[in-house]
Amino acid sequence: MSKLRDRILQADDIGSEIVEIPAWNVKVEVRSLTAGEQMELLKKCRKPDGELNNDSLPIETLLTVCYDPETGEKLFDPADRDALRNKSASAYGLLLQAANRAAGFTTESEVVSGLDETPTDVSSST
């Protein structure tokens, strides 16, 4: 097999960022999406007509990318959707901004609009 192929497949390319959420007095690890996670996320957030559901995409993204920095375990599960929607918009926004950065997106809206395209940069920040 190709040495280049081996280097690509062995690369540790999943970036993460520790985000301080002052309103909650906690730190959250936000990890970049794997290609498989991105595909599953898009599948979950499609309307029956195939269009992206912009209402569910941000919350589903947070369910996918947020981890406990101490244990490495997923932070939220699907049962937390409604509770997260009732949390501070500024705290929610901090996590969403970090999710955009981890995915290589450059603006807040790209978590919605940019998932249909390949991220431009997925460099590791760990």
Side-chain angles (χ1 to χ4, degrees):
M1 291 285 162
S2 164
K3 288 182 182 180
L4 177 58
R5 174 193 169 274
D6 292 342
R7 284 182 35 213
I8 292 168
L9 295 179
Q10 293 173 8
D12 182 8
D13 60 354
I14 304 302
S16 70
E17 176 180 348
I18 302 297
V19 181
E20 189 165 344
I21 310 294
W24 301 339
N25 196 30
V26 299
K27 293 181 182 180
V28 174
E29 179 183 1
V30 176
R31 294 184 190 167
S32 61
L33 294 168
T34 66
E37 287 172 331
Q38 186 182 53
M39 287 182 239
E40 285 301 312
L41 180 62
L42 287 170
K43 195 182 326 179
K44 275 188 218 174
C45 295
R46 293 264 180 222
K47 297 178 185 178
D49 65 4
E51 224 179 288
L52 273 179
N53 182 342
N54 293 341
D55 292 335
S56 68
L57 188 54
I59 196 79
E60 293 299 329
T61 299
L62 293 186
L63 293 176
T64 305
V65 303
C66 292
Y67 290 81
D68 182 328
E70 292 178 17
T71 66
E73 296 175 359
K74 282 255 185 177
L75 190 55
F76 304 115
D77 62 44
D80 296 323
R81 279 185 192 96
D82 289 338
L84 283 170
R85 284 187 174 107
N86 290 315
K87 298 307 294 174
S88 158
S90 64
Y92 183 92
L94 287 173
L95 288 174
L96 201 52
Q97 288 171 3
N100 282 331
R101 287 190 300 272
F105 302 136
T106 56
T107 66
E108 289 178 36
S109 64
E110 285 187 61
V111 88
V112 173
S113 64
L115 276 177
D116 277 333
E117 300 177 18
T118 305
T120 55
D121 179 29
V122 220
S123 56
S124 177
S125 61
T126 56

